[in-house]
């Protein structure tokens, strides 16, 4: 918007915008208290990561893991606790060994996968590498061109 003398009034709006951003950043700072009692005063969340949040305070920048934060803070940042430990791989094989039918299915499935992969690799190789006849024919053509 121009004034009477033709100057643009952006400076006034830019200063207002800077003040609004500063007050907004002050309004977003809060205190975080961990489950073991440590308090982060006037902290601003600068980044949210998969395993925690990065807080900026007067002292510096700190990363606080979600496992150290109270349940309501974890829920506010939509953090879900990871599942418990899975059954080890050898435990599944041990369970299959108890039932011979299950073990036979696992072995048959593995063998079919290996056979399928072998067929695919063989097919790819056969299409990529020229046969002996093609090699001989191309050599003959090269020799014939050289003589001509």
């Amino acid at each position: 918007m121009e004034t009477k003398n033709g100057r643009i009034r952006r400076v006034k709006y830019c200063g207002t915008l800077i003040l609004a951003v500063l007050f907004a950043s002050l309004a977003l700072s809060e205190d975080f208290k961990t489950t073991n009692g440590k308090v982060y005063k006037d902290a601003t969340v600068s980044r949210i990561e998969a395993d925690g949040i990065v807080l900026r305070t007067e002292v510096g920048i700190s990363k606080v893991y979600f496992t150290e934060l109270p349940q309501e803070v974890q829920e506010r940042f939509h953090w879900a606790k990871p599942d418990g430990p899975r059954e080890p791989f050898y435990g599944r094989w041990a369970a299959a060994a108890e039932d011979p039918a299950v073990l036979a299915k696992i072995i048959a499935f593995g063998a079919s996968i290996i056979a399928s992969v072998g067929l695919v690799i063989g097919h790819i190789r056969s299409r990529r590498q020229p046969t002996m006849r093609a090699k001989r024919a191309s050599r003959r053509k090269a020799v014939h061109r050289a003589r001509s």
Side-chain angles (χ1 to χ4, degrees), residues 103-120:
L103 187 59
K105 287 180 183 177
I106 291 173
I107 292 171
F109 181 71
S112 67
I113 289 176
I114 291 170
S116 300
V117 169
L119 287 173
V120 169

Side-chain angles (χ1 to χ4, degrees), residues 15-73:
T16 307
L17 179 65
I18 290 172
L19 286 175
V21 169
L22 287 174
F23 284 121
S25 65
L26 290 175
L28 295 176
S29 65
E30 60 182 292
D31 296 342
F32 286 91
K33 185 175 182 180
T34 62
T35 53
N36 58 6
K38 187 168 183 176
V39 178
Y40 295 90
K41 292 266 187 199
D42 295 327
T44 305
V45 178
S46 64
R47 190 169 62 242
I48 301 170
E49 296 180 353
D51 57 348
I53 54 175
V54 178
L55 300 175
R56 181 175 289 152
T57 61
E58 291 178 359
V59 178
I61 298 172
S62 305
K63 180 171 182 176
V64 182
Y65 294 97
F66 285 122
T67 55
E68 301 172 353
L69 292 169
Q71 184 70 33
E72 64 269 2
V73 178

